[in-house]
Coordinates of all heavy atoms in Angstrom, one line a residue:
M1 N 0.8 -1.2 0.0 CA 0.0 0.0 0.0 C 0.9 1.2 0.0 O 1.8 1.3 0.8 CB -0.9 0.0 1.3 CG -2.0 1.0 1.2 SD -3.2 0.9 2.5 CE -2.3 1.4 3.9
S2 N 0.6 2.2 -0.9 CA 1.4 3.4 -1.0 C 1.0 4.3 0.1 O -0.1 4.4 0.6 CB 1.2 4.1 -2.3 OG -0.1 4.5 -2.5
S3 N 2.0 5.1 0.6 CA 1.7 6.1 1.6 C 0.9 7.3 1.0 O 1.0 7.6 -0.1 CB 3.0 6.6 2.2 OG 3.8 7.2 1.3
P4 N 0.0 7.9 1.9 CA -0.8 9.0 1.4 C 0.0 10.2 1.0 O 1.1 10.4 1.6 CB -1.7 9.2 2.6 CG -1.0 8.8 3.8 CD -0.2 7.6 3.3
T5 N -0.5 10.9 0.1 CA 0.1 12.2 -0.2 C -0.1 13.2 0.9 O -1.2 13.2 1.5 CB -0.5 12.8 -1.5 OG1 -0.4 11.9 -2.6 CG2 0.1 14.1 -1.9
T6 N 0.9 13.9 1.3 CA 0.8 14.8 2.4 C 1.2 16.2 2.0 O 2.1 16.3 1.1 CB 1.6 14.4 3.7 OG1 3.0 14.4 3.3 CG2 1.2 13.1 4.2
Y7 N 0.5 17.1 2.5 CA 0.9 18.5 2.3 C 1.1 19.2 3.6 O 0.4 19.0 4.6 CB -0.2 19.3 1.5 CG -0.5 18.7 0.1 CD1 -1.5 17.8 -0.1 CD2 0.3 19.1 -0.9 CE1 -1.8 17.3 -1.3 CE2 0.1 18.6 -2.2 CZ -1.0 17.7 -2.4 OH -1.2 17.2 -3.6
H8 N 2.2 20.0 3.7 CA 2.5 20.7 4.9 C 2.3 22.2 4.7 O 3.1 22.8 4.0 CB 3.9 20.4 5.4 CG 4.3 21.0 6.7 ND1 5.6 21.2 7.1 CD2 3.5 21.6 7.7 CE1 5.6 21.8 8.2 NE2 4.4 22.1 8.6
L9 N 1.2 22.7 5.2 CA 1.0 24.2 5.0 C 1.6 25.0 6.1 O 1.4 24.6 7.3 CB -0.5 24.4 4.9 CG -1.3 23.6 3.8 CD1 -2.8 24.1 3.8 CD2 -0.7 23.8 2.4
V10 N 2.2 26.0 5.8 CA 2.9 26.9 6.8 C 2.3 28.3 6.6 O 2.2 28.8 5.5 CB 4.4 26.9 6.6 CG1 5.0 27.9 7.6 CG2 5.0 25.5 6.7
R11 N 1.8 28.8 7.8 CA 1.3 30.1 7.7 C 2.3 31.2 7.3 O 3.4 31.2 8.0 CB 0.7 30.5 9.1 CG 0.0 31.8 9.2 CD -0.6 32.0 10.5 NE -1.3 33.3 10.5 CZ -2.2 33.6 11.5 NH1 -2.4 32.8 12.5 NH2 -2.8 34.8 11.4
P12 N 2.1 31.9 6.3 CA 3.1 32.9 5.9 C 3.2 34.0 6.9 O 2.2 34.3 7.6 CB 2.5 33.5 4.6 CG 1.1 33.2 4.6 CD 0.9 32.0 5.4
H13 N 4.4 34.6 7.0 CA 4.6 35.7 8.0 C 3.9 36.9 7.4 O 4.4 37.5 6.4 CB 6.0 35.9 8.3 CG 6.3 37.0 9.2 ND1 5.9 37.0 10.5 CD2 6.8 38.3 9.0 CE1 6.2 38.1 11.1 NE2 6.8 38.9 10.2
V14 N 2.9 37.4 7.9 CA 2.2 38.6 7.5 C 2.0 39.5 8.6 O 1.5 39.2 9.7 CB 0.8 38.2 6.9 CG1 0.1 39.5 6.5 CG2 0.9 37.3 5.7
V15 N 2.5 40.7 8.4 CA 2.3 41.7 9.5 C 1.0 42.4 9.2 O 0.7 43.0 8.2 CB 3.4 42.8 9.4 CG1 3.2 43.9 10.5 CG2 4.8 42.1 9.7
T16 N 0.1 42.3 10.2 CA -1.2 42.9 10.1 C -1.3 44.2 10.9 O -0.7 44.2 12.0 CB -2.3 42.0 10.5 OG1 -2.1 41.5 11.9 CG2 -2.4 40.8 9.6
E17 N -1.9 45.2 10.4 CA -2.0 46.4 11.1 C -3.5 46.7 11.6 O -4.4 46.3 10.9 CB -1.5 47.6 10.3 CG 0.0 47.5 9.9 CD 0.4 48.7 9.1 OE1 -0.3 49.7 9.0 OE2 1.6 48.6 8.7
I18 N -3.6 47.3 12.7 CA -5.0 47.6 13.1 C -5.5 48.7 12.3 O -4.8 49.8 12.1 CB -5.0 48.0 14.6 CG1 -4.4 46.9 15.5 CG2 -6.3 48.5 15.1 CD1 -4.2 47.3 16.9
P19 N -6.7 48.5 11.6 CA -7.1 49.6 10.7 C -7.6 50.8 11.5 O -8.1 50.7 12.6 CB -8.3 48.9 10.0 CG -8.8 47.9 11.0 CD -7.6 47.4 11.7
T20 N -7.4 51.9 10.8 CA -8.0 53.2 11.3 C -9.4 53.3 10.7 O -9.6 53.5 9.5 CB -7.2 54.4 10.9 OG1 -5.9 54.2 11.5 CG2 -7.8 55.7 11.5
L21 N -10.4 53.1 11.6 CA -11.8 53.0 11.1 C -12.3 54.4 10.6 O -11.9 55.4 11.2 CB -12.7 52.5 12.1 CG -12.4 51.1 12.7 CD1 -13.5 50.7 13.7 CD2 -12.3 50.1 11.6
D22 N -13.1 54.5 9.6 CA -13.7 55.8 9.3 C -14.8 56.1 10.2 O -15.2 55.3 11.1 CB -14.1 55.8 7.8 CG -15.3 54.9 7.5 OD1 -16.1 54.5 8.4 OD2 -15.5 54.6 6.3
E23 N -15.4 57.2 10.1 CA -16.5 57.7 11.0 C -17.6 56.7 11.1 O -18.1 56.4 12.2 CB -17.0 59.1 10.5 CG -18.1 59.6 11.3 CD -18.7 60.8 10.6 OE1 -18.2 61.3 9.6 OE2 -19.8 61.2 11.1
H24 N -18.1 56.2 10.0 CA -19.2 55.3 10.1 C -18.9 53.9 10.7 O -19.7 53.4 11.4 CB -19.8 55.1 8.7 CG -20.2 56.4 8.1 ND1 -21.3 57.2 8.5 CD2 -19.7 57.2 7.0 CE1 -21.4 58.3 7.8 NE2 -20.4 58.3 6.9
Q25 N -17.7 53.4 10.3 CA -17.3 52.2 11.0 C -17.2 52.4 12.5 O -17.6 51.5 13.3 CB -15.9 51.7 10.4 CG -16.0 51.3 8.9 CD -14.6 51.0 8.4 OE1 -13.7 51.8 8.6 NE2 -14.4 49.9 7.7
Q26 N -16.6 53.5 12.9 CA -16.4 53.7 14.3 C -17.8 53.8 15.0 O -17.9 53.4 16.2 CB -15.6 55.0 14.5 CG -15.1 55.2 15.9 CD -14.2 54.1 16.3 OE1 -13.2 53.9 15.7 NE2 -14.4 53.5 17.5
Q27 N -18.8 54.4 14.4 CA -20.1 54.5 15.0 C -20.7 53.1 15.2 O -21.4 52.9 16.2 CB -21.1 55.3 14.1 CG -20.8 56.8 14.1 CD -21.6 57.5 13.1 OE1 -22.0 57.0 12.1 NE2 -21.9 58.8 13.4
V28 N -20.4 52.2 14.3 CA -20.9 50.8 14.5 C -20.1 50.2 15.7 O -20.8 49.6 16.6 CB -20.6 49.9 13.3 CG1 -20.9 48.5 13.5 CG2 -21.5 50.5 12.1
V29 N -18.8 50.3 15.8 CA -18.1 49.8 16.9 C -18.5 50.4 18.2 O -18.6 49.7 19.2 CB -16.6 50.0 16.7 CG1 -15.8 49.7 17.9 CG2 -16.1 49.3 15.5
D30 N -18.9 51.7 18.2 CA -19.3 52.4 19.4 C -20.7 52.1 19.9 O -21.1 52.5 21.0 CB -19.1 53.9 19.3 CG -17.6 54.3 19.2 OD1 -16.8 53.5 19.5 OD2 -17.4 55.4 18.7
H31 N -21.5 51.5 19.0 CA -22.9 51.2 19.3 C -23.0 50.4 20.6 O -22.4 49.3 20.7 CB -23.5 50.4 18.2 CG -25.0 50.2 18.4 ND1 -25.9 51.1 18.3 CD2 -25.6 49.0 18.7 CE1 -27.1 50.6 18.5 NE2 -27.0 49.3 18.8
A32 N -23.7 51.0 21.6 CA -23.7 50.4 22.9 C -24.5 49.1 23.1 O -24.1 48.3 23.8 CB -24.2 51.5 23.9
G33 N -25.6 49.0 22.4 CA -26.4 47.8 22.6 C -27.7 47.9 21.9 O -28.0 49.0 21.3
G34 N -28.4 46.8 21.8 CA -29.7 46.8 21.1 C -29.4 46.6 19.6 O -28.3 46.5 19.2
P35 N -30.5 46.4 18.9 CA -30.4 46.1 17.5 C -29.8 47.2 16.7 O -29.9 48.3 17.0 CB -31.9 45.9 17.1 CG -32.7 45.7 18.3 CD -31.9 46.4 19.4
L36 N -29.0 46.8 15.7 CA -28.3 47.7 14.9 C -28.3 47.1 13.5 O -27.9 46.0 13.3 CB -26.9 47.9 15.3 CG -26.0 48.8 14.4 CD1 -26.5 50.2 14.5 CD2 -24.5 48.7 14.9
L37 N -28.7 47.9 12.5 CA -28.7 47.5 11.1 C -27.6 48.2 10.4 O -27.6 49.5 10.4 CB -30.1 47.7 10.5 CG -30.2 47.4 9.0 CD1 -30.0 45.9 8.7 CD2 -31.6 47.9 8.4
V38 N -26.7 47.5 9.7 CA -25.7 48.1 9.0 C -25.9 47.8 7.5 O -25.9 46.6 7.1 CB -24.3 47.6 9.4 CG1 -23.2 48.2 8.6 CG2 -24.1 48.0 10.9
L39 N -26.1 48.8 6.7 CA -26.2 48.6 5.3 C -25.0 49.0 4.5 O -24.5 50.2 4.7 CB -27.4 49.4 4.8 CG -28.8 49.1 5.4 CD1 -29.9 50.0 4.9 CD2 -29.2 47.6 5.1
A40 N -24.4 48.2 3.7 CA -23.2 48.5 3.0 C -22.9 47.5 1.9 O -23.3 46.3 2.1 CB -22.0 48.5 4.0
G41 N -22.4 48.0 0.9 CA -22.1 47.1 -0.3 C -20.8 46.3 -0.1 O -20.1 46.4 0.9
P42 N -20.5 45.5 -1.1 CA -19.3 44.6 -1.1 C -18.1 45.5 -1.0 O -18.0 46.5 -1.6 CB -19.4 43.8 -2.4 CG -20.8 44.0 -2.9 CD -21.3 45.3 -2.3
G43 N -17.1 45.0 -0.1 CA -15.8 45.7 -0.1 C -15.8 47.0 0.6 O -14.8 47.8 0.5
T44 N -16.9 47.3 1.4 CA -16.9 48.6 2.0 C -16.4 48.6 3.5 O -16.4 49.6 4.1 CB -18.4 49.2 2.0 OG1 -19.2 48.2 2.6 CG2 -18.8 49.5 0.6
G45 N -16.1 47.4 4.0 CA -15.5 47.3 5.3 C -16.4 46.7 6.4 O -16.2 46.9 7.6
K46 N -17.4 45.9 6.0 CA -18.3 45.3 6.9 C -17.6 44.3 7.8 O -17.7 44.4 9.1 CB -19.4 44.6 6.2 CG -20.4 45.5 5.4 CD -21.5 44.7 4.8 CE -21.0 43.5 3.9 NZ -20.2 44.0 2.7
T47 N -16.8 43.4 7.2 CA -16.1 42.4 8.0 C -15.1 43.1 8.9 O -14.9 42.7 10.1 CB -15.4 41.4 7.1 OG1 -16.5 40.7 6.3 CG2 -14.7 40.4 7.9
T48 N -14.4 44.1 8.4 CA -13.4 44.8 9.2 C -14.1 45.4 10.4 O -13.6 45.4 11.6 CB -12.7 45.9 8.4 OG1 -12.1 45.3 7.2 CG2 -11.7 46.7 9.1
T49 N -15.2 46.0 10.2 CA -15.9 46.7 11.3 C -16.4 45.7 12.3 O -16.3 45.9 13.5 CB -17.2 47.4 10.7 OG1 -16.7 48.4 9.7 CG2 -17.9 48.2 11.8
L50 N -16.9 44.5 11.8 CA -17.4 43.5 12.7 C -16.3 43.0 13.6 O -16.4 42.8 14.8 CB -18.0 42.4 11.9 CG -18.7 41.2 12.7 CD1 -19.8 41.7 13.6 CD2 -19.2 40.2 11.7
V51 N -15.1 42.7 13.0 CA -13.9 42.3 13.8 C -13.6 43.3 14.8 O -13.4 42.9 16.0 CB -12.7 42.0 12.8 CG1 -11.5 41.8 13.6 CG2 -13.0 40.8 12.0
E52 N -13.5 44.6 14.5 CA -13.2 45.6 15.4 C -14.2 45.7 16.5 O -13.9 46.0 17.7 CB -12.9 46.9 14.7 CG -11.7 46.9 13.8 CD -10.4 46.4 14.6 OE1 -10.1 46.9 15.7 OE2 -9.7 45.6 14.0
A53 N -15.5 45.5 16.2 CA -16.6 45.6 17.2 C -16.4 44.4 18.2 O -16.6 44.6 19.4 CB -17.9 45.5 16.5
I54 N -16.0 43.3 17.7 CA -15.8 42.1 18.6 C -14.5 42.4 19.5 O -14.6 42.1 20.7 CB -15.7 40.8 17.8 CG1 -17.0 40.5 17.2 CG2 -15.2 39.7 18.7 CD1 -17.0 39.4 16.2
V55 N -13.5 42.9 18.9 CA -12.3 43.3 19.6 C -12.6 44.2 20.8 O -12.2 44.0 21.9 CB -11.2 43.9 18.7 CG1 -10.1 44.5 19.6 CG2 -10.6 42.8 17.8
R56 N -13.4 45.2 20.5 CA -13.8 46.2 21.5 C -14.6 45.5 22.6 O -14.3 45.8 23.8 CB -14.7 47.3 20.8 CG -15.6 48.1 21.8 CD -14.8 49.0 22.7 NE -14.3 50.1 21.9 CZ -15.0 51.2 21.6 NH1 -16.2 51.2 22.0 NH2 -14.5 52.1 20.9
R57 N -15.5 44.6 22.3 CA -16.3 44.0 23.4 C -15.4 43.1 24.2 O -15.6 43.0 25.4 CB -17.4 43.3 22.7 CG -18.6 44.3 22.3 CD -19.4 43.8 21.2 NE -20.4 44.8 20.9 CZ -20.2 46.0 20.2 NH1 -18.9 46.3 19.9 NH2 -21.1 46.8 20.0
I58 N -14.4 42.4 23.6 CA -13.5 41.6 24.4 C -12.7 42.5 25.3 O -12.4 42.2 26.5 CB -12.7 40.7 23.5 CG1 -13.6 39.6 22.8 CG2 -11.6 40.0 24.3 CD1 -12.9 38.8 21.7
D59 N -12.2 43.6 24.7 CA -11.4 44.5 25.5 C -12.2 45.0 26.7 O -11.6 45.3 27.8 CB -10.9 45.7 24.7 CG -9.7 45.4 23.8 OD1 -9.1 44.3 24.0 OD2 -9.4 46.2 22.9
D60 N -13.5 45.2 26.5 CA -14.4 45.7 27.6 C -14.8 44.6 28.5 O -15.6 44.9 29.4 CB -15.6 46.4 26.9 CG -15.3 47.7 26.3 OD1 -14.2 48.2 26.5 OD2 -16.2 48.2 25.6
G61 N -14.3 43.4 28.3 CA -14.6 42.4 29.3 C -15.5 41.3 28.9 O -15.8 40.4 29.7
A62 N -16.1 41.4 27.8 CA -17.1 40.4 27.3 C -16.3 39.1 27.1 O -15.2 39.1 26.6 CB -17.8 40.8 26.1
P63 N -16.8 37.9 27.5 CA -16.2 36.7 27.2 C -16.1 36.4 25.7 O -17.1 36.7 25.0 CB -17.0 35.6 27.9 CG -18.3 36.3 28.1 CD -18.1 37.7 28.2
P64 N -15.0 36.0 25.2 CA -14.8 35.8 23.7 C -15.9 34.9 23.1 O -16.2 35.0 22.0 CB -13.4 35.2 23.6 CG -12.7 35.7 24.8 CD -13.7 35.8 25.9
T65 N -16.4 34.0 23.9 CA -17.5 33.1 23.4 C -18.8 33.7 23.4 O -19.8 33.2 22.9 CB -17.5 31.8 24.3 OG1 -17.7 32.2 25.6 CG2 -16.3 31.0 24.1
R66 N -18.9 34.9 24.0 CA -20.3 35.6 24.0 C -20.0 37.1 24.0 O -20.1 37.8 25.0 CB -21.0 35.2 25.3 CG -22.4 35.7 25.4 CD -23.1 35.2 26.7 NE -24.2 36.0 26.9 CZ -24.2 37.1 27.6 NH1 -23.1 37.6 28.0 NH2 -25.3 37.8 27.8
C67 N -19.9 37.6 22.8 CA -19.5 39.0 22.6 C -20.7 39.9 22.4 O -20.5 41.2 22.4 CB -18.5 39.2 21.5 SG -16.9 38.5 21.8
W68 N -21.8 39.4 22.3 CA -23.0 40.3 22.0 C -23.9 40.2 23.2 O -24.4 39.2 23.6 CB -23.7 39.9 20.8 CG -22.8 39.8 19.6 CD1 -22.2 38.7 19.1 CD2 -22.2 40.9 19.0 NE1 -21.3 39.0 18.1 CE2 -21.3 40.4 18.0 CE3 -22.3 42.3 19.1 CZ2 -20.6 41.2 17.2 CZ3 -21.6 43.1 18.2 CH2 -20.7 42.6 17.3
R69 N -24.0 41.4 23.9 CA -24.7 41.4 25.1 C -26.2 41.8 24.9 O -26.5 42.4 23.9 CB -24.1 42.5 26.1 CG -22.7 42.0 26.5 CD -22.1 43.0 27.4 NE -21.0 43.6 26.8 CZ -20.0 44.2 27.4 NH1 -20.1 44.3 28.7 NH2 -19.0 44.8 26.8
Ligands
ADP101 N1 -10.9 51.5 7.8 C1 -10.2 50.9 6.9 N2 -8.9 51.3 6.6 C2 -8.2 50.6 5.7 N3 -8.6 49.5 5.0 C3 -9.8 49.1 5.3 C4 -10.7 49.7 6.2 N4 -11.9 49.1 6.3 C5 -11.8 48.1 5.4 N5 -10.6 48.1 4.8 C6 -10.1 47.2 3.7 O1 -11.0 47.2 2.7 C7 -11.1 45.9 2.1 C8 -12.6 45.4 2.2 O2 -13.0 45.4 3.6 P1 -13.9 44.2 4.2 O3 -14.1 44.4 5.6 O4 -13.4 42.9 3.7 O5 -15.3 44.6 3.4 P2 -16.7 43.8 3.3 O6 -16.7 42.8 4.4 O7 -17.7 44.8 3.4 O8 -16.6 43.1 2.0 C9 -10.2 45.0 2.9 O9 -9.0 44.9 2.2 C10 -10.0 45.8 4.2 O10 -8.7 45.5 4.8
MG102 MG1 -17.0 40.7 4.4

């Protein structure tokens, strides 16, 4: 029996920088609670904003497994 083909993937060294959010992204991050609807097209920074909103909540003490209060 032949041995299986294996691939060894290595994470490339990428330096990531914390984005400077624009005014609207920052308003989303600063939203204190309750329902919030964000309307935005592709490539406008929704995922970036969501990540920073989660970072903010974890920094504020929310458990990482439950960031939405
Ligand atoms: N405030 C920002 N400053 C610099 N680059 C940003 C900012 N917000 C988003 N980007 C960049 O714009 C691109 C699209 O952002 P992304 O969050 O993936 O958008 P969406 O989720 O709306 O498609 C990505 O390359 C992201 O890094
Ligand atoms: Mg996205």
Side-chain angles (χ1 to χ4, degrees):
M1 191 171 74
S2 63
S3 57
T5 303
T6 61
Y7 297 96
H8 182 200
L9 304 184
V10 178
R11 183 176 183 164
H13 178 71
V14 177
V15 176
T16 56
E17 296 185 9
I18 299 171
T20 301
L21 303 182
D22 69 19
E23 175 190 349
H24 301 292
Q25 291 174 313
Q26 193 62 53
Q27 287 175 330
V28 173
V29 172
D30 292 341
H31 182 71
L36 176 67
L37 176 64
V38 176
L39 300 174
T44 54
K46 298 181 301 295
T47 299
T48 302
T49 303
L50 184 61
V51 168
E52 293 307 313
I54 292 170
V55 168
R56 160 69 72 80
R57 283 151 181 75
I58 293 172
D59 282 349
D60 287 349
T65 53
R66 185 177 164 276
C67 287
W68 306 103
R69 294 182 246 199

